Amino acid sequence: MNTIRVVGETIHEVHFDRSIKQLVKFGVNPDGLEEVDPSVTIVPGMIRVGGVWQRPAPSPQMRAAKIKAECSRRIYAVMSDVAQRNINAYTTDLSIAISERDLTQEEQGDVAVARSARGWVTAMQQAARMAAANGMDPAWPEVPNGVAELVERF
């Protein structure tokens, strides 16, 4: 089976039992057709630059979407959506309790860790925005101490 690609703005792959030369005998117009060496891997969307097939650079919007998705993946790998909501509810309850009583040392520690966790999420989002805007790789901040333990409880 021969692989023939229709070459234009993008690549469309077509598989034939015959070569281009054989297809021409059957009246097929060979313009824009190219037989590809089976050892070369070419996928749809690639372009030829100076005779070499390569993937085009992603558009700024596509790159920003990929960075945003990676940011979300990294955040949710540490703190699921449910854990984030439960921690927010817990700290809200604690802020209401302050008017009635003093917080215990453990509760004070939980509030401090929850604040650092929220700050980390914000820093992650800022790193993603900066990387997308500047065309650089993101500099992901480290997860603060105590966050994993707090998340584990919720």
Side-chain angles (χ1 to χ4, degrees):
M1 170 103 32
N2 291 322
T3 300
I4 298 174
R5 297 212 174 20
V6 180
V7 180
E9 289 295 316
T10 59
I11 298 170
H12 304 281
E13 185 174 305
V14 185
H15 300 282
F16 289 100
D17 297 10
R18 297 175 165 80
S19 68
I20 292 176
K21 193 181 268 187
Q22 292 168 323
L23 291 173
V24 170
K25 288 181 185 176
F26 290 106
V28 174
N29 182 352
D31 292 343
L33 297 181
E34 165 184 337
E35 259 181 83
V36 178
D37 178 354
S39 67
V40 176
T41 302
I42 301 175
V43 297
M46 292 180 81
I47 58 173
R48 186 175 10 205
V49 178
V52 177
W53 289 104
Q54 56 186 274
R55 288 186 184 271
S59 69
Q61 295 84 1
M62 181 180 284
R63 186 174 182 287
K66 285 182 179 182
I67 291 171
K68 182 179 177 181
E70 178 62 15
C71 180
S72 292
R73 186 196 67 75
R74 287 172 179 255
I75 291 170
Y76 289 132
V78 173
M79 298 173 52
S80 71
D81 186 49
V82 172
Q84 289 181 56
R85 285 185 294 189
N86 288 340
I87 291 169
N88 285 339
Y90 171 64
T91 55
T92 299
D93 288 346
L94 291 179
S95 68
I96 293 169
I98 290 175
S99 64
E100 300 170 4
R101 64 175 174 84
D102 291 334
L103 297 181
T104 66
Q105 269 192 320
E106 182 182 2
E107 290 170 335
Q108 290 173 12
D110 288 347
V111 169
V113 172
R115 282 186 180 143
S116 66
R118 183 64 209 138
W120 172 73
V121 169
T122 301
M124 290 287 289
Q125 293 166 337
Q126 288 173 339
R129 285 186 200 104
M130 285 182 56
N134 299 329
M136 299 168 38
D137 289 336
W140 302 118
E142 294 293 321
V143 179
N145 291 332
V147 171
E149 294 80 9
L150 182 64
V151 168
E152 198 172 293
R153 291 180 25 218
F154 291 91

